Amino acid sequence: QVQLVESGGGLVQPGGSLRLSCAASGSIFSIYAMGWYRQAPGKQRELVALIRSGGSTKYADSVKGRFTISRDNAKSTVYLQMNSLKPEDTAVYYCRASPPIGVDHWGQGTQVTVSS
């Protein structure tokens, strides 16, 4: 069983930056693919960024060049650095842990609001 705790959300002005963190406990973090997803009101949850156990990454087109996902296996933590934030980035951001075999795990989410 994996427990995920997100942090770092908040209110930021357009053009600003935030760094989200997702701390994992309860399993071997390094073998998991880790992802950040977001869900805006009235919309489906969507992939923002993914980092695989080997370090390769994938980004949604809407965040390429602005967001960076990274992981620190020693700290069992995955990060999402968000720069040049836009109002349309406003959403609840969720962390997801995907093992090679078995079920995925989700965090409780952290709110990001981009507004002047």
Side-chain angles (χ1 to χ4, degrees), residues 31-85:
I31 68 173
Y32 282 69
M34 300 298 298
W36 285 99
Y37 292 73
R38 67 187 180 187
Q39 187 166 19
K43 295 187 176 181
Q44 289 189 332
R45 192 172 296 189
E46 62 176 0
L47 172 70
V48 176
L50 173 73
I51 184 165
R52 300 177 180 88
S53 58
S56 61
T57 58
K58 176 182 178 180
Y59 294 92
D61 288 343
S62 59
V63 307
K64 283 181 181 177
R66 300 188 298 122
F67 291 11
T68 303
I69 189 171
S70 61
R71 65 190 299 161
D72 185 337
N73 289 337
K75 295 182 178 180
S76 297
T77 301
V78 62
Y79 304 97
L80 185 68
Q81 177 67 44
M82 305 186 294
N83 299 328
S84 302
L85 282 160

Side-chain angles (χ1 to χ4, degrees), residues 5-28:
V5 178
E6 300 104 331
S7 61
L11 173 64
V12 64
Q13 291 186 342
S17 298
L18 283 175
R19 188 175 83 153
L20 305 183
S21 299
C22 173
S25 62
S27 190
I28 305 172

Side-chain angles (χ1 to χ4, degrees), residues 91-104:
V92 178
Y93 283 70
Y94 297 91
C95 177
R96 176 182 181 182
S98 302
I101 298 175
V103 299
D104 294 341

